Amino acid sequence: MKYKLWDRNEKEFIENGWVIFPNGDLYWTGYGNIIDKVCMKDYVLIKSSDIKDINNQEVYEGDIIKTLRNLSYYEYGVVKYKEGGWRIYTTESEFYLLKPTLGGIYTNEIMGNIFENKIDDFD
């Protein structure tokens, strides 16, 4: 499983310098050593869906996706993991299952994410 870490204070993703332990705890690292436990009130751990968009970019929880529906129109939604599956929520209660791009039937494209953008920017 792949993850990203969002810094709530600095408003940026932290690519390196942290590790996840098997029990789920996060720790800062440096020079191959464990430095300190990550204070999760300041950070958001974001899971990968292991699905790629049409540009071969990995889709993560919180990504804003443009998805082709019924081969005729596009909708925008936010990727969330709920009830054992990855979904694209177009409203609080309406969603589509997130599926790999398949011959133009399911065409998903990452437009941004909820941490750096507002979904209204894409409607």
Side-chain angles (χ1 to χ4, degrees):
M1 181 65 63
K2 295 179 189 171
Y3 296 91
K4 295 195 296 189
L5 191 63
W6 175 254
D7 185 325
R8 294 176 201 243
N9 298 318
E10 297 298 321
K11 308 285 189 230
E12 64 185 12
F13 288 103
I14 300 173
E15 301 293 328
N16 301 307
W18 55 276
V19 65
I20 302 174
F21 275 38
N23 67 359
D25 289 343
L26 271 68
Y27 289 87
W28 296 115
T29 61
Y31 303 105
N33 297 312
I34 301 300
I35 297 173
D36 198 7
K37 189 172 182 178
V38 175
C39 178
M40 290 308 295
K41 73 177 179 80
D42 297 327
Y43 300 92
V44 179
L45 186 64
I46 306 159
K47 281 192 284 190
S48 166
S49 67
D50 289 326
I51 294 174
K52 298 203 176 187
D53 77 348
I54 61 172
N55 298 313
N56 207 31
Q57 297 297 308
E58 190 127 10
V59 177
Y60 283 84
E61 192 166 18
D63 280 346
I64 297 170
I65 298 287
K66 179 171 106 175
T67 184
L68 179 63
R69 305 315 306 167
N70 300 327
L71 297 175
S72 60
Y73 64 96
Y74 288 97
E75 282 197 278
Y76 294 88
V78 176
V79 175
K80 297 179 184 180
Y81 186 81
K82 282 196 172 182
E83 299 177 14
W86 290 98
R87 301 172 177 190
I88 303 169
Y89 279 84
T90 55
T91 67
E92 283 297 314
S93 59
E94 295 180 11
F95 65 89
Y96 299 101
L97 294 178
L98 176 64
K99 299 179 181 180
T101 296
L102 178 64
I105 297 171
Y106 306 114
T107 304
N108 301 314
E109 182 176 9
I110 298 169
M111 304 304 292
N113 61 68
I114 60 170
F115 304 100
E116 299 171 305
N117 313 99
K118 294 179 182 174
I119 193 158
D120 296 340
D121 295 341
F122 302 104
D123 283 335

